[in-house]
Amino acid sequence: MADLIDPFGRKVEYLRLSVTDRCDFRCFYCIPKGFKEFTESENRLALEEHVRLIRLFGELGVDKIRLTGGEPLVRQDIVEMVRRIGALPGISDLSMSTNASRLAGCARELKEAGIGRINVSLDSLNPELFRRITRGNLDRVIEGLMAARDADIHPVKINMVVMKDLNLGEVGDMVDFCIANRFTLRFIETMPVGAGGQKARDSYVSLDEVRRTLEKRFEFEPSRMKGAGPAKYLRVKGERLKIGFITPMSRHFCESCNRVRLSSEGTLYLCLGQQDKLELRPLLRQGATDPELKAAIIEAIARKPEKHEFNTRPDQIVRVMSMTGG
Ligand code: SAM
Ligand code: SF4
C-alpha cells in the first residue's frame, strides 16, 4: 500500500468528506443567512463517485474518514453512504460531524451502518441565543444528542465554537451539561472563512481566555484522548469529563496536520486555510482509471501547503466552511 507523504514529512491518513454543502441551519460564522451560492446539482458527486474516491484513498493509506458538510443528515441516502463507506477495506474509523437536528430519527441506523463516533455542534444551551447563532431549534438538537447516547454511539463529542459577547459566558454551563450527560466537550476558536469570515473574526476570542474563565470554577489536570487530532485535552478534576481545546488561531497545529478535505463536488482541498486544490470530478467524469486517479492524488499531496495563513491573510479563504468540510 502506498503512503501519502507530503513535502514536510507528514503522513496523510485522514480524509474529511463534505457530503453536501447544504444545511438546515445558518450559523452566522459558517453559512450566513441569505447565502445562495450552493453547488449546482449536476456538479454534486453521486454516491458511487464518492465511494469510488474513498476506496482509492483507502488504497493509498487513508484509514480515517469523517463525514461532514454542510449537514450530512440532510442527504436522503446518508445511511446507505455510511454503510458503503464503512464496508470498504482499510477504513477503520468512520465518524460524522452533525448539527444533530435530524439525528433523533436515525442515530440507531447510523450506528448499525457503521458510524463509530459523532461530533455535534452545540454553541449554546439557551434556546434564544442558540437560534440567534444558528437559526435552528435547540430542542431537536438535544433530542438528537440523547438519541446518539441511547444508541451507544461513543464518544459523543460536543463542539462549541466560543464567541465573545455571545456564548463566552456560557462555557461553565456547557461543562456542567457535559458532565451530567457524559459527553466529551471541545471548545473551538472561530476561523475567518468564507462569507461568514468577517463576523467570525469580529467574535473571535482566544481559548486562553476560556480556560481562565473556567479555572475560576473548575480544577483541571492534563489528559489524553485517543484520536485527539488537533485538540489539547484537560480533565476536570474528580470528574470523567475531558475537555479539548482547538486553537487554530492562537496556537496552530499545522506541523502535525494529517488530513485533507474532499468537497461534495469532488474538489480535494489540501489545507483548510489555503486555496491549493485538485479537481477530481472532471477526471472521474472523463473516464480516468483507478491508477490515473491515484497518481493525481499523490501528485496533489506533494503540493500540500505547510500551514494556514488565517492570521496573516485572513481574507484569503472565500469558500464557505460547509463546502470545504469543516
Ligand atoms: N453541520 C455539521 C456541524 O455543524 O457540526 C458539520 C459541518 S460544520 C462546518 C463542522 C464544524 O465546523 C462545526 O463544529 C462548526 O461549528 C465548525 N465551524 C464552521 N464554521 C466555522 C468557523 N468560521 N470557525 C470555526 N469553526 C467553524
Ligand atoms: Fe450548518 Fe454546521 Fe455550518 Fe452550522 S456549522 S451552518 S450546522 S454546516
Side-chain angles (χ1 to χ4, degrees):
M1 188 194 293
D3 279 341
L4 295 174
I5 310 277
D6 82 358
F8 306 95
R10 299 171 298 192
K11 185 171 170 195
V12 174
E13 49 201 353
Y14 179 19
L15 179 70
R16 294 174 71 100
L17 178 62
S18 174
V19 299
T20 174
D21 59 349
R22 287 164 193 265
C23 185
D24 48 355
F25 282 10
R26 289 289 178 274
C27 303
F28 72 84
Y29 49 72
C30 179
I31 312 179
K33 201 170 144 224
F35 179 84
K36 293 207 168 47
E37 292 151 46
F38 294 104
T39 306
E40 304 288 336
S41 58
E42 67 271 21
N43 291 339
R44 278 182 235 145
L45 294 194
L47 178 58
E48 288 306 326
E49 292 174 310
H50 277 299
V51 173
R52 181 177 177 205
L53 287 179
I54 306 285
R55 174 174 58 75
L56 297 179
F57 275 98
E59 288 170 11
L60 289 167
V62 169
D63 59 358
K64 193 172 164 188
I65 305 285
R66 175 170 295 274
L67 307 182
T68 176
E71 176 46 42
L73 300 183
V74 303
R75 272 189 80 119
Q76 303 283 326
D77 59 356
I78 190 68
V79 175
E80 176 61 11
M81 188 174 214
V82 169
R83 193 170 290 120
R84 294 279 305 276
I85 294 174
L88 290 172
I91 305 304
S92 58
D93 182 4
L94 179 56
S95 60
M96 181 180 285
S97 291
T98 171
N99 64 28
S101 70
R102 299 172 186 221
L103 188 55
C106 62
R108 206 162 285 279
E109 272 182 293
L110 287 171
K111 165 89 178 173
E112 283 162 12
I115 277 294
R117 305 180 288 126
I118 281 197
N119 289 359
V120 173
S121 287
L122 181 62
D123 293 344
S124 175
L125 294 166
N126 171 327
E128 272 166 42
L129 181 57
F130 185 82
R131 183 167 287 283
R132 230 172 100 202
I133 297 171
T134 67
R135 319 302 299 177
N137 180 315
L138 178 63
D139 287 343
R140 289 180 52 195
V141 172
I142 302 290
E143 276 169 39
L145 270 168
M146 300 309 163
R149 200 183 58 187
D150 294 346
D152 279 333
I153 295 176
H154 187 78
V156 175
K157 293 184 187 162
I158 306 276
N159 282 342
M160 179 179 187
V161 173
V162 187
M163 294 158 279
K164 82 168 171 240
D165 302 331
L166 280 173
N167 60 357
L168 177 59
E170 240 191 284
V171 290
D173 292 348
M174 197 61 85
V175 171
D176 290 333
F177 176 77
C178 290
I179 290 175
N181 291 288
R182 302 191 308 279
F183 299 131
T184 300
L185 174 59
R186 299 170 349 143
F187 295 115
I188 305 178
E189 291 176 343
T190 56
M191 288 173 270
V193 177
Q198 183 58 47
K199 285 192 171 170
R201 229 187 311 162
D202 293 345
S203 49
Y204 170 77
V205 55
S206 155
L207 291 191
D208 288 340
E209 190 169 337
V210 172
R211 188 169 167 177
R212 280 195 297 273
T213 306
L214 289 172
E215 278 169 346
K216 292 181 191 149
R217 269 195 61 196
F218 303 95
E219 218 180 312
F220 294 112
E221 55 195 16
S223 182
R224 282 174 179 272
M225 181 92 182
K226 192 168 165 255
K232 293 278 171 276
Y233 275 89
L234 295 174
R235 182 196 287 276
V236 178
K237 221 168 181 178
E239 300 287 350
R240 282 169 45 172
L241 178 69
K242 290 181 182 174
I243 305 181
F245 292 77
I246 305 183
T247 55
M249 304 299 288
S250 63
R251 220 167 286 123
H252 76 72
F253 31 77
C254 301
E255 63 288 347
S256 58
C257 182
N258 64 348
R259 63 200 58 195
V260 286
R261 294 172 164 85
L262 185 63
S263 77
S264 57
E265 50 184 358
T267 303
L268 183 68
Y269 290 104
L270 302 169
C271 171
L272 186 59
Q274 296 283 1
Q275 305 288 21
D276 308 67
K277 61 185 178 184
L278 163 68
E279 303 214 1
L280 283 159
R281 189 183 71 252
L283 299 178
L284 274 173
R285 295 192 178 169
Q286 284 155 18
T289 61
D290 285 358
E292 284 166 350
L293 286 167
K294 283 199 221 178
I297 293 168
I298 290 168
E299 179 278 327
I301 298 297
R303 295 188 279 113
K304 185 169 161 58
E306 185 180 9
K307 57 185 178 204
H308 74 64
E309 294 173 307
F310 286 139
N311 288 313
T312 46
R313 299 173 69 197
D315 299 322
Q316 200 196 171
I317 301 304
V318 290
R319 60 182 187 267
V320 290
M321 187 72 112
S322 67
M323 183 182 181
T324 323

